[in-house]
Amino acid sequence: MRRSLRAIVATSAVAAVAFGSLLAVPAAQAADNKIVIWTDADRAPAIRYLFPNGYKGVPVEVVVKPFEELRDSLSKVTADAAPDVAIGANDWVGELAANGVIVSINLASSAAAGLEAGAVQAFNYNGKQYGTPVAVENIALITNANLIKKQPTTFADLSSQALALKKAGKVTIPLAVQQGSGGDAYHMYPLFSGLGGYIFGTTAKGAYNTKDIGIYNKTFAANSKLIDTWNSTGLINSKVTGDIAKAAFLAGKAPFWITGPWNLSDIKATKNLKYRITAVPPIVSGIKPVPFVGSQGFMLTKYAAAHGVESAARSLVSEYMTTEKAQYNLSAVNDRFPANKAAAARVTNPQLKAFGAAGSGGIPIPNISQMNSVWGPLGSAWVSSTRGPGAIPAAKAFAQAQGAVKKAIG
Amino acid sequence: MIQLLISRFGGLPATILKIALLSVVNALAIWAIPAMASNGSWVMMAFIVVATIALDYLLLTKRFIPAKYVVIGAIFLTAFQIIPIIFTIFIAFTNYSTGNIGTKPDAIEAIVRDSVTESDNSQSYDMLPATNASDDLVLILTPQAAVEETPAVVPGESTDPGTTEFGGEESSPPAEFGGEESSPPAEFGGEESSPPAEFGGEESSPPAEFGGVETPAPSASSDVTSGTDDLNVASDTEPSSLPPTYIGTSEGLDEIPVSDVTRDEFGTVTEVTGFPVIPDTELPAYDAEISAMRVPGPNGGYISPQGYTTAIELTPTLEYDEATDTFTSVQTGDVYVDAGRGAFVNETDPEDSLEPGWRETVGFENFTSVFTDPQIRDPFISVFVWTFVYAMLSVLLTFVLGLSLAVVLNKEGMKGQRIYRSLLIIPYAVPAFLSILVWGGLLNDDFGAINTVTGWTIPWLFDPFWAKVSILLVNLWLGFPYMFLVSTGALQAIPAELQEAARVDGARNFQVWRMINMPLLLVALTPLLIASFAFNFNNFNNIYLLTGGGPSMEGSEVAGATDILISYTFKIAFSAGEGNDYGLASAISIYIFFIVGTISLISFSRSKALREERP
């Protein structure tokens, strides 16, 4: 009996110590209001540099998370741990706005005028602005200058040069674009748009018109025979995955590679590789092949109001982040092309500039949630029409994809 | 050894250990309580309080000895099995999905907050937060001059293929975007051809601004000033053309006589007599008040602060009527009502609903939609059949191979037996994740090692039939070592006397195997085979990492040829539709639970019958 009593006394003592120390922690944290910014690891140093003393007198706390994790976390986080400002990609906007997590902002017309109009539009959802773009990125055609002396100006030229190299046994993959069995509609988009394809039309108000699906529109249908030619000549092969494409190009076994700036460091690290970065040359006359242009930007969350920092956070997103200084510094740390035109003009990295030029005319990735229903069928259409022997005709594959998307969106 | 330790463990060290562990549990509970209270998870909080107290009592008394063991097991069972199942069932009856994640009040708040728009004659204001005589917040507002600029991008009509284009030919500076068509593109890299300064430079030395050549760290106040400079474009310094200055309150705008206004050399208002400006350092304390401020504006909207220094007049597009619980569109007069489906829906157009919606109970809708929604229903049968075939064949093939190897390697006195056994376990030791990805590379039709080395042209991953073969082969590779291990164990557990007795009775080798070994093996292994079936029935990794469910199946846009129920569910719920549909995913997982549960139950009862036949 005495021992049991002792045990109870000891337990309460230990519990009391734990209790006291744990209570002390939240008390210390809940001191003052602060702007919490969620960002990826690349950009964190730039943000810390920009706000050494906070923003407008409000301390700024930077929380680093993997970029892809931010999207889900934003919809699931509890109010306490929630950020006031977060960086995100433009194609998350539809989902986050539909979940009511992010708050619309108003970009002053003078500030908006200083940004790439397409990037600003990319953060527009249902006619409202949900973020300030700070970076744009797109894929481009990388050419091995050792193998291709004269940069092709038409796709036919590209095709004949590449196939000649393949025939001579110098290369294994004439044009490296990553697909794999799951497909990759994003990397195929320059070819898709170059044949006249588009995904959604737009209404007069500028919103996406999900009733107007252009995967198998008349222009594309008329040009789709070219895909069958590419398949039969082996120019494009859906069995090329990201790894295979990269390995082949870096080893000099592929003269052309369609990829994005995220592979620049590997390209630069390859010895004796001379290369050019350009847009994909025109496939049919009158249509410019354009890539998807992804845009990343800062968004204001609904939690800022509850945290009592909405005014400061709103100003940080809608005013400060539009500035040349902010965007130039962000661009400097993560090798993305800034959305601010003045900052873009200051970019000295020639490769980055070349990627920017190749993205000219590109269209934003649609940010509506219906886009989820497009990636799969469109990617599959490319896979089944370019799988070499046994491929189904492109006209059939893309007509099916069109039907599938229509059915899925309803 | 360990058993000895456990049986001898007691006395003071045991008591101390018990108290220490219990303290940790208590401390965790105490730490969790405020967090849960702030989330409003009252049920969980109450559960934790009661459970902790009960646990303390139970473990500190000398009574209830059996309960000390049972209760702890029950707690873990509840925490890791029962609560997730209850949540899944609960979610299956709701419309929890993208666009319906919050509560109705949250949704109403969000709709009200975001249903404002800048009208064509929206006026922007320079703003100075100040206080009035009674110390209440007021805003000193000066209209900004209109900015001369190119109109914002107006997207084309509905036939326009692209939506908005980045950097058109005209608007973009020629230095960056214009020249790429005419001039040959620059070449990068190469050893001699490129000057090292061009590439080495930017990597090694950070950009000037970032490196701190420019004096960084502006104080808070100079930040505000420079911000005002930038935004206050084209303020005229001529006093005659200066815009009027207003005091904004929740009542409206009040013009101030020019004589009361002090301006700096740029014409920016700095002070107004009678309304002391709030110093920059104190602004953060007013933040919530500033952002909540709504000043009725001259154009029928209200002037809303956009930070500490600017404000803009916004017009609501929707109005909420609390009495009728409806939203009314200001422009069209359309009425949006709560139709009981977790969203405000246009009375005349059921397709038109407001975002965001909220979580609402929808009854059995998620369960019935498996049968009524053609998008889900149509491929369901073939996916269902393949799931069975896949799980059955996976178990059968791995078992046959594993058992055969076990029998072969079970021969007594075999040389190198240990080495062979160790080698066979390797596929089991390598993380499955890695093996599957490696197999994906090996099986690539044109570039994979298998076709390249053998000279075959088998479309391993691109043909529906061969993709299924690939899946089974890879699963065989991953699964046979397990079957090999358990079979070896079971074989060695069979008493040698039984076999000898059979031989004495005149049985031949095969008869011994069929009549003695096999039945005894099955008694031991049947539960494991059933477990293996259930595991493979839900073996998401293998499918997802190897084929991603592909290649696409004729006539189905969601399911691929190798999709099993669980990967198909994942696709419907998380990637094919419009965002994430947790409700539907939960409903299908409950179906899968019942399917696997039924099969396991039948198998177990049959295997029990098998055992009872033995004397």
Side-chain angles (χ1 to χ4, degrees):
Chain A
M1 197 64 217
R2 266 192 66 201
R3 209 163 108 195
S4 150
L5 192 70
R6 236 186 319 160
I8 292 171
V9 171
T11 310
S12 351
V14 176
V17 172
F19 182 75
S21 59
L22 283 166
L23 276 195
V25 175
Q29 280 177 345
D32 245 337
N33 285 340
K34 58 183 186 242
I35 302 176
V36 177
I37 303 181
W38 275 10
T39 179
D40 51 320
D42 280 356
R43 291 187 177 86
I47 296 174
R48 291 202 186 96
Y49 165 79
L50 289 168
F51 307 109
N53 301 319
Y55 180 70
K56 305 221 167 187
V58 186
V60 169
E61 184 185 317
V62 177
V63 176
V64 175
K65 283 183 182 272
F67 189 76
E68 282 305 316
E69 216 173 84
L70 291 170
R71 177 186 196 158
D72 247 16
S73 304
L74 276 172
S75 293
K76 289 178 182 157
V77 69
T78 58
D80 273 353
D84 306 302
V85 173
I87 193 159
N90 69 292
D91 52 330
W92 306 354
V93 164
E95 179 183 325
L96 295 176
N99 284 344
V101 177
I102 52 175
V103 177
S104 66
I105 59 169
N106 300 283
L107 290 179
S109 47
S110 56
L115 304 173
E116 262 303 335
V120 174
Q121 183 66 28
F123 276 90
N124 194 298
Y125 177 68
N126 277 350
K128 278 167 223 133
Q129 191 69 27
Y130 280 96
T132 300
V134 296
V136 294
E137 66 180 8
N138 54 270
I139 52 176
L141 177 73
I142 321 255
T143 306
N144 184 327
N146 301 330
L147 293 168
I148 304 289
K149 298 296 176 203
K150 193 180 147 289
Q151 183 69 21
T153 51
T154 65
F155 198 82
D157 186 10
L158 180 151
S159 168
S160 61
Q161 289 201 47
L163 290 172
L165 283 170
K166 164 123 200 221
K167 208 172 174 192
K170 286 187 177 164
V171 299
T172 52
I173 302 175
L175 171 57
V177 203
Q178 69 178 68
Q179 294 193 62
S181 60
D184 193 329
Y186 174 81
H187 281 91
M188 296 309 283
Y189 195 80
L191 303 176
F192 175 70
S193 66
L195 293 169
Y198 64 95
I199 291 177
F200 296 122
T202 46
T203 63
K205 279 197 293 182
Y208 288 101
N209 178 4
T210 53
K211 299 266 180 281
D212 175 15
I213 299 164
I215 291 176
Y216 192 65
N217 67 58
K218 277 187 194 142
T219 319
F220 185 85
N223 294 329
S224 66
K225 281 235 160 26
L226 280 170
I227 299 176
D228 301 329
T229 315
W230 298 342
N231 179 58
S232 61
T233 56
L235 180 71
I236 291 173
N237 186 332
S238 59
K239 288 146 195 175
V240 176
T241 63
D243 294 339
I244 292 171
K246 184 177 187 171
F249 184 83
L250 295 182
K253 292 290 174 194
F256 299 102
W257 185 20
I258 295 181
T259 193
W262 45 87
N263 276 320
L264 263 180
S265 51
D266 287 321
I267 297 174
K268 284 186 197 168
T270 308
K271 278 197 179 141
N272 296 327
L273 177 63
K274 284 203 281 178
Y275 57 98
R276 312 184 193 103
I277 300 169
T278 60
V280 174
I283 301 167
V284 291
S285 66
I287 304 175
K288 187 178 175 203
V290 293
F292 269 135
V293 177
S295 186
Q296 290 147 17
F298 284 88
M299 299 177 287
L300 175 68
T301 75
K302 69 170 182 180
Y303 303 103
H307 297 167
V309 293
E310 191 190 328
S311 297
R314 184 179 281 274
S315 153
L316 187 152
V317 171
S318 63
E319 295 175 353
Y320 187 79
M321 281 303 172
T322 63
T323 61
E324 178 188 338
K325 180 185 175 186
Q327 300 221 350
Y328 180 75
N329 280 301
L330 286 165
S331 151
V333 290
N334 85 333
D335 266 8
R336 294 288 188 273
F337 206 67
N340 179 297
K341 291 179 203 160
R346 285 173 62 192
V347 167
T348 51
N349 181 335
Q351 289 99 329
L352 215 51
K353 271 163 81 171
F355 267 108
S360 155
I363 68 155
I365 299 170
N367 56 18
I368 50 177
S369 51
Q370 283 87 345
M371 193 60 197
N372 285 332
S373 307
V374 174
W375 296 114
L378 185 55
S380 291
W382 276 108
V383 172
S384 45
S385 57
T386 59
R387 50 171 278 208
I392 62 173
K396 192 179 164 204
F398 282 84
Q400 266 177 8
Q402 164 102 3
V405 172
K406 201 163 246 166
K407 208 168 145 197
I409 291 173
Chain B
M1 181 67 186
I2 291 172
Q3 273 177 341
L4 192 76
L5 269 179
I6 291 172
S7 64
R8 290 288 165 83
F9 193 61
L12 192 61
T15 313
I16 290 174
L17 185 67
K18 182 168 81 176
I19 290 171
L21 288 177
L22 215 51
S23 301
V24 170
V25 170
N26 284 354
L28 279 176
I30 289 163
W31 168 75
I33 286 165
M36 295 202 161
S38 71
N39 288 345
S41 316
W42 301 112
V43 180
M44 279 299 279
M45 192 182 104
F47 173 77
I48 284 186
V49 171
V50 173
T52 312
I53 292 171
L55 194 67
D56 285 347
Y57 175 71
L58 181 73
L59 293 181
L60 290 174
T61 59
K62 297 218 152 187
R63 299 155 65 195
F64 315 123
I65 303 286
K68 287 183 208 245
Y69 298 93
V70 174
V71 166
I72 292 176
I75 287 173
F76 282 109
L77 181 75
T78 312
F80 296 113
Q81 296 286 336
I82 297 180
I83 289 181
I85 290 173
I86 290 173
F87 266 115
T88 308
I89 294 172
F90 176 72
I91 290 171
F93 287 96
T94 68
N95 65 349
Y96 187 32
S97 57
T98 297
N100 300 78
I101 63 163
T103 62
K104 188 174 177 184
D106 281 348
I108 293 173
E109 193 194 312
I111 295 170
V112 170
R113 186 182 64 209
D114 276 352
S115 59
V116 289
T117 181
E118 287 178 61
S119 58
D120 294 337
N121 49 5
S122 276
Q123 175 66 55
S124 299
Y125 295 84
D126 283 333
M127 180 181 87
L128 271 181
T131 48
N132 62 12
S134 51
D135 226 18
D136 291 330
L137 176 74
V138 298
L139 304 175
I140 300 170
L141 297 166
T142 314
Q144 289 178 348
V147 185
E148 295 287 325
E149 50 141 343
T150 46
V153 178
V154 180
E157 54 270 49
S158 63
T159 49
D160 192 303
T163 46
T164 310
E165 295 208 337
F166 279 83
E169 240 72 1
E170 265 87 53
S171 63
S172 54
E176 292 159 22
F177 297 102
E180 90 270 18
E181 235 80 75
S182 51
S183 65
E187 288 185 8
F188 305 110
E191 272 190 329
E192 268 82 41
S193 64
S194 64
E198 205 180 337
F199 296 103
E202 92 225 337
E203 239 106 82
S204 55
S205 71
E209 204 172 20
F210 195 65
V213 174
E214 204 179 81
T215 22
S219 72
S221 61
S222 72
D223 229 10
V224 173
T225 326
S226 67
T228 317
D229 274 354
D230 283 342
L231 292 158
N232 184 16
V233 192
S235 284
D236 202 335
T237 41
E238 283 294 311
S240 57
S241 63
L242 281 174
T245 298
Y246 303 95
I247 289 294
T249 62
S250 51
E251 309 286 304
L253 287 177
D254 245 345
E255 189 165 349
I256 324 169
V258 179
S259 56
D260 282 357
V261 179
T262 315
R263 289 164 191 270
D264 66 10
E265 69 267 35
F266 303 112
T268 309
V269 177
T270 53
E271 269 176 58
V272 172
T273 316
F275 296 96
V277 172
I278 299 169
D280 291 337
T281 48
E282 286 174 30
L283 279 173
Y286 284 89
D287 193 297
E289 231 180 304
I290 293 173
S291 61
M293 192 78 166
R294 297 280 178 271
V295 178
N299 296 321
Y302 57 81
I303 300 165
S304 167
Q306 300 294 308
Y308 296 155
T309 55
T310 49
I312 190 166
E313 182 170 355
L314 300 170
T315 344
T317 53
L318 291 166
E319 267 163 5
Y320 181 61
D321 184 352
E322 220 164 309
T324 55
D325 190 25
T326 55
F327 276 97
T328 310
S329 165
V330 174
Q331 280 93 347
T332 60
D334 287 342
V335 179
Y336 294 83
V337 295
D338 173 4
R341 314 260 319 138
F344 285 101
V345 183
N346 192 332
E347 274 184 327
T348 50
D349 176 10
E351 293 278 288
D352 177 18
S353 61
L354 300 179
E355 286 178 344
W358 58 92
R359 276 167 87 161
E360 186 80 79
T361 309
V362 292
F364 282 92
E365 193 173 292
N366 289 322
F367 293 93
T368 53
S369 70
V370 174
F371 304 106
T372 55
D373 184 344
Q375 207 206 326
I376 306 172
R377 183 190 59 203
D378 292 350
F380 198 86
I381 300 296
S382 62
V383 170
F384 191 75
V385 170
W386 162 239
T387 309
F388 259 96
V389 171
Y390 166 70
M392 288 286 185
L393 281 181
S394 289
V395 175
L396 195 73
L397 293 175
T398 52
F399 182 59
V400 167
L401 183 61
L403 182 64
S404 317
L405 289 168
V407 171
V408 169
L409 289 179
N410 204 36
K411 193 174 159 65
E412 272 173 55
M414 186 183 190
K415 268 191 185 172
Q417 198 179 32
R418 285 193 166 192
I419 294 176
Y420 289 132
R421 280 186 178 157
S422 311
L423 283 177
L424 284 177
I425 299 170
I426 285 180
Y428 199 43
V430 177
F433 249 81
L434 205 67
S435 313
I436 297 171
L437 292 175
V438 169
W439 273 105
L442 293 177
L443 288 167
N444 190 297
D445 303 4
D446 284 6
F447 309 100
I450 294 178
N451 278 358
T452 321
V453 171
T454 56
W456 297 339
T457 52
I458 296 172
W460 290 109
L461 299 177
F462 285 78
D463 178 83
F465 172 76
W466 285 106
K468 288 177 179 168
V469 174
S470 304
I471 291 273
L472 286 171
L473 278 180
V474 172
N475 215 18
L476 176 62
W477 163 264
L478 293 171
F480 86 85
Y482 171 75
M483 291 299 180
F484 168 70
L485 277 181
V486 296
S487 305
T488 304
L491 275 178
Q492 288 175 348
I494 296 173
E497 303 91 72
L498 285 180
Q499 296 164 6
E500 276 169 33
R503 288 215 174 80
V504 169
D505 286 349
R508 278 167 305 202
N509 273 351
F510 181 73
Q511 279 176 318
V512 172
W513 170 250
R514 199 175 64 84
M515 313 289 284
I516 307 290
N517 288 2
M518 200 60 196
L520 287 173
L521 266 182
L522 280 181
V523 169
L525 295 184
T526 304
L528 295 176
L529 294 182
I530 295 167
S532 173
F533 175 84
F535 172 79
N536 279 308
F537 203 88
N538 287 325
N539 193 343
F540 179 80
N541 284 357
N542 192 12
I543 305 288
Y544 192 75
L545 293 176
L546 191 66
T547 63
S552 58
M553 196 158 72
E554 192 89 8
S556 163
E557 50 281 355
V558 183
T562 57
D563 262 321
I564 56 173
L565 276 175
I566 194 77
S567 66
Y568 172 62
T569 307
F570 180 82
K571 279 191 182 174
I572 304 174
F574 300 117
S575 60
E578 297 171 11
N580 303 336
D581 195 339
Y582 304 104
L584 181 62
S586 300
I588 301 183
S589 16
I590 288 172
Y591 276 129
I592 295 178
F593 169 76
F594 278 114
I595 294 169
V596 176
T598 311
I599 294 167
S600 305
L601 210 64
I602 294 171
S603 315
F604 273 121
S605 62
R606 282 200 56 188
S607 69
K608 200 176 156 196
L610 197 82
R611 196 166 55 199
E612 278 167 356
E613 275 173 22
R614 316 259 114 221

